[in-house]
């Protein structure tokens, strides 16, 4: 008598086939997830490398700027107006969507559906121009930073990277346009500041505000990977050095004072950024100012040169050196540096050239903190007031208090001060809203979004009526 009947053998065979199919499906799934993770890490590495190269170029521009200022400071009255006008002309001609910070373009792209309008705001072809144009702006002496541009460049790189692999029929189900843009943008910020955690907070608080983002683990992994890859290359060195101050007597009072002062100034700063240079002229001249962007950039260059002469060149560039000096407890020779740097950053942004406001805003806050210390006759540690004011002014200008607190914490190695940084940032942001109800980045994003929709519509109409165009 046989040990197994035919029916039993068939049942065992069927079961084995089911197990085999399940194992093959699991292997395929693991393979797909591994491929997605590999592609994501490749994109994060690309963002990190470009950000590091951009940082090196920016440092070189600042070094050359300091050299020619030291030799012939009067050249600023020639190089700045003509240089800013030339950069503005190049921007309008080569990359109109690369003007300004770059963060509003990313936010605008995240609020648009996939298509030509979205791609135009984070187009790699246009966005790469941000790197040499920002370099030229820093070389001339504009009060701009590279962090905002790094955000837009990171978004464009990651989106182009994902589309490259999708076009080669690689299955990337978890890679949607918005997730790629957000991962690249926040990764660019994390890499630029050497601050991985700040990149994640920025993605959630700033990029995720009012946009349809799905916070999959791939997005957060991409952001952290960009930041940690930079840490692996250059080391865990805080951008401004390690903060050596500490808490003050009656700390809450000092925190709220810094929050209130920086909230007022930051709110006015954000409102003026949104208004544009037309706020400086009578109503009947405003249309003429809008119609002549090159002349506007020229005038802004003259203003920058005058401010630089008044402040001994301290208002040029990112202001990193001045902020680091103040954070170390040293004074700046020129009183009113914070207000002068605020005016210089406004003039640079109004010129319409590529360049961010993150680092200049931190420098403004450092200058305001020193001014508060001077007014109080130096009764407390200057370093603590400078640290609190850096976070408070950035929070007031951007209305992103969590991002401002974590950015300053990671850039200064001041983890024990995080609670006080949060309190200063939250109070400054609350005061700022009384002067600027709408966050500047999101207000500017709306303008870029409308502009992209209009330009895409015009291009579609032109293509439809051009000779030889077939009707679908």
């Amino acid at each position: 008598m046989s040990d197994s009947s035919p029916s039993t053998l068939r049942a065992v065979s069927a079961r084995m086939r089911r197990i085999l199919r399940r194992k093959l499906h699991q292997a395929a799934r693991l393979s797909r997830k591994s491929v997605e993770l590999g592609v994501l890490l490749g994109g994060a590495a690309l963002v990190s490398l470009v950000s590091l190269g951009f940082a090196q170029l920016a440092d070189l521009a600042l070094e050359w700027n300091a050299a020619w200022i030291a030799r012939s400071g009067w050249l600023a009255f020639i190089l700045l107006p003509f240089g800013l006008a030339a950069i503005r002309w190049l921007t309008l001609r080569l990359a109109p969507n690369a003007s300004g910070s770059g963060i509003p373009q990313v936010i605008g792209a995240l609020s648009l559906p996939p298509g030509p309008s979205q791609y135009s705001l984070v187009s790699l072809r246009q966005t790469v121009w941000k790197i040499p144009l920002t370099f030229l702006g820093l070389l001339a002496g504009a009060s701009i930073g590279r962090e905002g541009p790094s955000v837009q460049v990171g978004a464009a790189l990651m989106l182009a990277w994902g589309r490259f692999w999708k076009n080669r029929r690689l299955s990337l189900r978890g890679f949607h346009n918005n997730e790629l843009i957000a991962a690249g943008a926040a990764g660019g910020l994390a890499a630029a500041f050497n601050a991985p955690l700040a990149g994640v907070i920025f993605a959630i608080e700033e990029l995720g505000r009012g946009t349809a983002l799905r916070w999959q683990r791939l997005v957060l992994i991409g952001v952290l990977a960009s930041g940690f890859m930079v840490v692996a290359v250059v080391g865990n060195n805080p951008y401004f050095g390690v903060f050596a101050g500490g808490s003050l007597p009656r700390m809450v009072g000092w925190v709220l004072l810094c929050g209130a002062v920086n909230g007022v100034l930051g709110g006015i700063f954000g409102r003026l950024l949104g208004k544009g240079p037309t706020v400086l002229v009578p109503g009947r001249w405003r249309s003429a100012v809008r119609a002549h962007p090159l002349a506007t950039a020229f005038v802004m260059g003259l203003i920058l040169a005058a401010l630089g002469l008044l402040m001994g060149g301290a208002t040029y560039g990112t202001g990193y050196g001045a902020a680091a000096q103040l954070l170390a407890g040293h004074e700046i020779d020129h009183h009113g540096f914070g207000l002068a740097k605020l005016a210089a950053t406004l003039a640079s942004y109004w010129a319409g050239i590529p360049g961010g406001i993150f680092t200049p805003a931190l420098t403004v806050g450092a200058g305001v903190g020193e001014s508060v210390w001077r007014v109080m006759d130096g009764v407390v540690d200057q370093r603590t007031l400078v640290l609190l004011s850096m976070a408070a002014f950035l929070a007031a200008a951007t209305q992103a208090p969590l991002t401002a607190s974590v950015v300053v914490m990671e850039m200064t190695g001041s983890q024990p001060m995080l609670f006080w940084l949060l309190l200063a940032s939250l109070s400054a942001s609350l005061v700022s809203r009384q002067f600027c109800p709408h966050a500047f980045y999101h207000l500017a994003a709306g303008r870029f979004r409308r502009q992209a929709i209009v330009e895409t519509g015009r291009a579609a109409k032109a293509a439809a009526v051009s000779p030889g165009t077939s009707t679908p």
Side-chain angles (χ1 to χ4, degrees):
M1 186 175 180
S2 63
D3 294 334
S4 302
S5 65
S7 60
T8 303
L9 290 174
R10 284 195 298 270
V12 171
S13 177
R15 184 180 178 187
M16 293 299 295
R17 285 197 298 270
R18 287 195 299 270
I19 293 173
L20 181 60
R21 282 197 299 267
R22 186 164 64 250
K23 293 298 182 182
L24 289 174
H25 177 73
Q26 290 174 350
R29 184 178 178 183
L30 288 173
S31 177
R32 179 174 62 82
K33 291 294 183 182
S34 299
V35 168
E36 287 185 350
L37 183 59
V39 170
L40 180 69
L41 293 177
L46 186 62
V47 171
S48 298
L49 289 173
V50 172
S51 295
L52 282 172
F54 194 4
Q56 295 296 321
L57 278 175
D59 290 343
L60 183 63
L62 292 172
E63 181 182 336
W64 288 354
N65 172 262
W68 71 256
I69 290 293
R71 287 198 303 269
S72 306
W74 58 271
L75 277 176
F77 285 93
I78 299 174
L79 293 180
L80 268 169
F82 285 102
L84 264 58
I87 296 169
R88 179 59 173 157
W89 180 81
L90 288 170
T91 303
L92 290 171
R93 185 175 181 83
L94 301 173
N97 285 331
S99 64
S101 164
I103 295 177
Q105 290 93 315
V106 171
I107 295 173
L110 288 171
S111 64
L112 289 168
S117 297
Q118 184 184 65
Y119 296 140
S120 69
L121 292 178
V122 285
S123 160
L124 187 60
R125 186 180 64 180
Q126 284 201 41
T127 303
V128 292
W129 282 107
K130 216 169 183 80
I131 296 175
L133 293 175
T134 301
F135 171 84
L136 292 175
L138 289 170
L139 179 61
S143 178
I144 55 178
R146 59 175 170 81
E147 293 74 25
S150 295
V151 169
Q152 190 181 10
V153 171
L157 279 171
M158 190 68 86
L159 181 60
W161 177 257
R163 293 182 70 191
F164 172 83
W165 289 110
K166 285 181 180 180
N167 290 339
R168 276 142 188 83
R169 303 185 183 280
L170 190 65
S171 177
L172 300 172
R173 297 179 186 176
F175 284 18
H176 302 280
N177 280 7
N178 278 15
E179 282 69 42
L180 288 168
I181 293 170
L189 182 77
F193 278 136
N194 198 5
L197 181 57
V200 173
I201 301 299
F202 172 75
I204 295 172
E205 182 183 38
E206 195 66 74
L207 301 182
R209 186 190 306 179
T211 59
L213 270 179
R214 300 184 305 169
W215 293 110
Q216 298 184 8
R217 64 184 181 88
L218 286 175
V219 177
L220 301 182
I221 288 172
V223 177
L224 290 172
S226 296
F228 285 130
M229 285 178 188
V230 171
V231 172
V233 174
V234 302
N236 188 21
N237 302 313
Y239 188 78
F240 285 113
V242 178
F243 175 68
S247 299
L248 305 174
R250 296 182 294 277
M251 189 70 180
V252 174
W254 293 109
V255 168
L256 294 179
L257 174 63
C258 289
V261 172
N262 285 281
V264 171
L265 293 174
I268 295 172
F269 175 73
R271 190 174 182 87
L272 291 175
L273 281 176
K275 291 286 186 182
T278 56
V279 74
L280 299 177
V281 299
R284 63 181 181 276
W285 294 354
R286 289 176 182 173
S287 58
V289 171
R290 295 189 189 99
H292 297 88
L294 302 187
T296 301
F298 187 91
V299 172
M300 293 301 118
L302 289 175
I303 293 173
L304 279 170
L307 288 168
L309 179 65
L310 185 65
M311 290 287 124
T315 55
Y316 296 139
T318 61
Y320 165 81
Q325 180 180 345
L326 292 172
L327 198 60
H330 306 297
E331 298 181 36
I332 287 184
D333 296 335
H334 303 276
H335 296 331
F337 165 72
L339 293 178
K341 185 64 175 175
L342 186 153
T345 306
L346 280 173
S348 300
Y349 191 86
W350 285 347
I353 65 173
I357 66 168
F358 246 82
T359 307
L362 291 170
T363 306
V364 172
V368 172
E370 189 218 18
S371 296
V372 171
W373 176 77
R374 287 181 184 273
V375 170
M376 297 299 170
D377 290 329
V379 296
V380 293
D381 191 345
Q382 170 191 314
R383 296 172 296 180
T384 302
L385 296 182
V386 168
L387 179 77
L388 294 172
S389 293
M390 288 171 71
F393 187 85
L394 181 61
T398 62
Q399 294 185 16
L402 295 179
T403 300
S405 305
V406 176
V407 160
V408 172
M409 178 199 73
E410 288 197 281
M411 293 176 72
T412 58
S414 55
Q415 285 81 359
M417 295 292 292
L418 180 58
F419 173 77
W420 301 116
L421 292 172
L422 279 169
L423 184 57
S425 298
L426 288 168
S427 59
S429 183
L430 181 63
V431 173
S432 170
R433 288 191 180 94
Q434 313 312 310
F435 297 88
C436 184
H438 303 289
F440 161 69
Y441 283 143
H442 290 264
L443 185 65
R447 294 173 183 162
F448 277 106
R449 181 174 59 248
R450 291 189 294 271
Q451 177 182 318
I453 292 172
V454 170
E455 290 177 353
T456 302
R458 288 175 180 167
K461 289 180 181 178
V465 300
S466 62
T469 301
S470 58
T471 304

